[in-house]
Amino acid sequence: MESQFYLMTFDSVTHSMQTEKLAKRQFPVIVMPAPREITQSCGLALKFLIWEPKKIEQFFQSLSVPCRLYKMGTSHVDGKRPLELVAEVQ
């Protein structure tokens, strides 16, 4: 099992729903509340349930809606999960 996962956040619920439909064609994903550390205006995040960095990052680069892609650790360090902004679409 991987010690991290990819997470996408959005500026609107509409963008999160549109992206979820596209992502489900290629990946197992779930919609979840965005972690407090990275909450955007809609408060939803898309969690990728597989670890395929190249494929997920290529999918992200193909999007035209404002969103952010993060890598987030599964274990806590000093009460927080490690978090890294990978890319952003404005």
Side-chain angles (χ1 to χ4, degrees), residues 1 15 19 29 34 36 55 65-67 69 71 75 81 86:
M1 183 168 180
H15 291 153
T19 305
V29 296
R36 284 185 212 142
K55 192 173 176 183
V65 298
C67 54
L69 181 66
K71 286 182 191 174
S75 59
R81 287 186 281 182
V86 176

Side-chain angles (χ1 to χ4, degrees), residues 3-69:
S3 61
Q4 57 187 347
F5 57 90
Y6 278 94
L7 194 67
M8 289 177 69
T9 60
F10 306 90
D11 291 341
S12 76
V13 173
T14 301
H15 291 153
S16 67
M17 292 169 45
Q18 290 171 342
T19 305
E20 177 193 14
K21 286 179 186 178
L22 292 172
K24 281 186 172 183
R25 294 178 187 163
Q26 299 178 51
F27 310 100
V29 296
I30 59 170
V31 174
M32 61 178 269
R36 284 185 212 142
E37 304 98 300
I38 58 173
T39 299
Q40 299 301 315
S41 24
C42 86
L44 295 177
L46 189 63
K47 180 179 180 180
F48 291 81
L49 302 176
I50 58 166
W51 183 253
E52 292 186 28
K54 287 182 183 180
K55 192 173 176 183
I56 293 170
E57 289 179 24
Q58 285 175 343
F59 170 75
F60 179 81
Q61 294 301 327
S62 74
L63 299 174
S64 60
V65 298
C67 54
R68 288 150 203 84
L69 181 66

